[in-house]
Amino acid sequence: MHVLFVAPHFPSYQRHFVRAMHSVGAKVTGIGEASPVYLDSELKSWLHGYEQVPSVCDEQAMLEAVRRVQRREWVDRLESTIEAHILPVAAVREACKIPGLSVEAAVLCRDKPQMKEHLRRHGIPCAASDGIASVDEAIAFVRAVGYPIIIKPRAGAGASGTTRCDNDGQLAAALKEAGVAQGQSVAIEEFIEGHEGFYDTMSVDGVPVMEFVSHYYPNVLDAMRNRWISPYIVSTNRLDASGYDALKELGRRVITTMGLGTTATHMEWFYGPKGLKFSEIGARPPGVGQWDVYAAGNDIDIYREWANAVVFGRIERRPSRRFASGIIALRPDRDGRIVGYEGVEEVQRRFGEYVTKAHLPPAGTPTQPIEAGYMANAWIQMRHPDYDAMREIFEVIARTIRVRAG
């Protein structure tokens, strides 16, 4: 099989998809923005060919690159794994008659108001939502639904650009920040109270062949608003427990209803006083290094299993569920540059055997804003046979390690 893979060079984890496809016997041609001289020898050894384009989000440039390859040889698949690339790649895929995620499905995955409207029509429980392009439309939505509400980009990823509004003053500020008065269209949603997590799959022809469930502590908006919080995510190894049956059924229905075929998926959900609610889904792997977390917790090369699913329509190894696994973000106490750390030696002494990866930027490293996400500054990935013990370890780490900046 000959697979075209978008952006093999950056971000750095993209190389693992190339490695995996090469390892299962596929020919891989990369399409990326970097000059070939910046591709290291190892990455080049996995690539059958490479096409440089000015931007992988430029549909015309991508179309021309894919057709250049098609004139030379047959192409079986065109794959992308980054949120911003999904829609332009789907358009090129459709124009070049290459199987894979359709434009219709890609649009639904990217445009949150359309996504929720589509799923409500198919009986999927979602928060009330709409797309708005004026202050009057926002006010009308609030009068119908009530506070609190959420304002966010129609095609954002994760919590990027997301604002909670509890009153008219906060709403006015959020709409101004989003440029709504200038005609910018945004998503507006009912705020759903409850616990937040995500359901991730690798699906083949719309059927999950690998499933994972992770939990946020605390919810993302709280984590992104408060510097003092060391938020963490834990992936459960108790997925066969009956309490997850409704979530797995919901996730599978969403994948089928959205027309997502052979692709990785990342679906967010809430559970609270109003029951289980769908939040959003993307036709891509999760961020924040979560696939590495899943690999560590389940004794699999998850990138290779993705490649097996794409190339052969099956996987070789199923997740072992031996460990709960997760990541904790460690925030600097202020913006500036890293000065040092407190409590790292104690954490290493008590819990070092459970650490799978860690990133502690050295003194002098510029800090990143907390809004940049869980891997923006220091972080630790871990695994433990017991989910509750994994949570308690993260709570201890959050109380123990301090990242000092100045």
Side-chain angles (χ1 to χ4, degrees):
M1 178 174 277
H2 184 197
V3 182
L4 307 187
F5 185 73
V6 178
H9 171 67
F10 182 81
S12 59
Y13 60 78
Q14 288 285 92
R15 67 190 296 111
H16 294 301
F17 295 97
V18 180
R19 169 191 59 79
M21 285 187 288
H22 177 76
S23 75
V24 302
K27 292 191 301 184
V28 187
T29 294
I31 304 178
E33 298 167 5
S35 167
V37 301
Y38 292 110
L39 307 185
D40 63 79
S41 58
E42 184 179 53
L43 180 58
K44 286 179 178 177
S45 73
W46 299 326
L47 288 171
H48 169 68
Y50 183 76
E51 294 287 329
Q52 185 179 1
V53 294
S55 169
V56 294
C57 294
D58 182 334
E59 288 183 22
Q60 186 59 38
M62 288 287 289
L63 180 62
E64 292 170 0
V66 171
R67 284 181 169 160
R68 284 197 299 271
V69 179
Q70 286 182 315
R71 284 193 290 270
R72 295 196 301 265
E73 55 193 313
W74 182 260
V75 172
D76 293 282
R77 302 282 297 193
L78 171 59
E79 295 295 322
S80 62
T81 58
I82 295 175
E83 180 79 16
H85 305 165
I86 298 299
L87 185 52
V89 168
V92 172
R93 186 186 292 120
E94 198 165 278
C96 294
K97 312 299 183 187
I98 299 172
L101 188 75
S102 70
V103 171
E104 179 183 9
V107 168
L108 289 175
C109 284
R110 290 289 285 155
D111 191 291
K112 292 176 174 60
Q114 286 193 53
M115 176 194 300
K116 287 187 168 66
E117 179 59 32
H118 174 83
L119 292 175
R120 276 193 290 267
R121 289 199 303 268
H122 289 82
I124 303 294
C126 307
S129 63
D130 204 352
I132 59 163
S134 71
V135 174
D136 288 344
E137 289 175 339
I139 292 172
F141 181 88
V142 169
R143 297 299 176 257
V145 173
Y147 287 113
I149 57 94
I150 297 292
I151 299 289
K152 58 184 175 181
R154 293 185 70 113
S160 177
T162 300
T163 304
R164 172 177 166 166
C165 303
D166 295 295
N167 53 54
D168 290 349
Q170 291 177 357
L171 176 64
L175 295 176
K176 181 179 180 180
E177 177 70 20
V180 171
Q182 287 73 47
Q184 182 67 40
S185 181
V186 298
I188 187 169
E189 294 182 5
E190 168 192 18
F191 176 79
I192 297 293
E193 179 185 356
H195 177 63
E196 183 179 7
F198 47 96
Y199 167 79
D200 292 337
T201 79
M202 182 63 220
S203 291
V204 173
D205 295 331
V207 178
V209 294
M210 292 193 294
E211 296 175 291
F212 307 94
V213 173
S214 297
H215 299 264
Y216 287 112
Y217 298 100
N219 288 351
V220 176
L221 275 182
D222 292 333
M224 293 300 105
R225 279 181 163 189
N226 298 290
R227 178 185 293 275
W228 61 268
I229 293 175
S230 295
Y232 58 92
I233 300 168
V234 184
S235 173
T236 184
N237 58 341
R238 301 172 180 170
L239 201 56
D240 292 332
S242 60
Y244 288 108
D245 289 347
L247 174 58
K248 290 185 288 186
E249 174 60 25
L250 175 70
R252 293 164 186 166
R253 285 175 60 202
V254 170
I255 290 167
T256 299
T257 301
M258 294 278 287
L260 307 182
T262 298
T263 182
T265 73
H266 174 61
M267 188 190 95
E268 307 239 352
W269 51 268
F270 286 90
Y271 183 80
K274 296 181 179 180
L276 179 62
K277 297 277 190 178
F278 167 86
S279 178
E280 57 189 64
I281 191 168
R284 58 169 177 82
V288 297
Q290 198 62 23
W291 262 27
D292 293 334
V293 168
Y294 294 153
N298 290 279
D299 304 297
I300 55 173
D301 180 343
I302 195 168
Y303 298 95
R304 183 179 173 90
E305 298 311 330
W306 171 87
N308 278 320
V310 169
V311 174
F312 301 117
R314 57 170 173 76
I315 59 173
E316 290 178 335
R317 297 181 60 185
R318 297 196 173 275
S320 69
R321 314 289 185 206
R322 276 210 305 149
F323 301 95
S325 51
I327 181 172
I328 183 167
L330 304 168
R331 271 79 172 271
D333 57 5
R334 69 193 70 191
D335 291 327
R337 293 181 179 272
I338 300 295
V339 173
Y341 298 85
E342 298 171 8
V344 172
E345 294 80 6
E346 179 182 347
V347 166
Q348 175 62 30
R349 177 178 54 81
R350 294 178 63 183
F351 308 121
E353 64 185 295
Y354 307 120
V355 174
T356 56
K357 286 184 181 180
H359 175 64
L360 302 174
T365 302
T367 65
Q368 301 299 317
I370 63 171
E371 296 83 3
Y374 287 69
M375 301 184 83
N377 293 286
W379 50 265
I380 301 173
Q381 292 179 357
M382 307 182 77
R383 68 181 187 180
H384 192 282
D386 184 82
Y387 175 85
D388 295 314
M390 185 75 270
R391 279 201 62 197
E392 180 54 34
I393 289 170
F394 278 143
E395 290 288 342
V396 172
I397 291 173
R399 295 193 298 266
T400 304
I401 292 182
R402 293 290 177 264
V403 184
R404 302 302 186 190

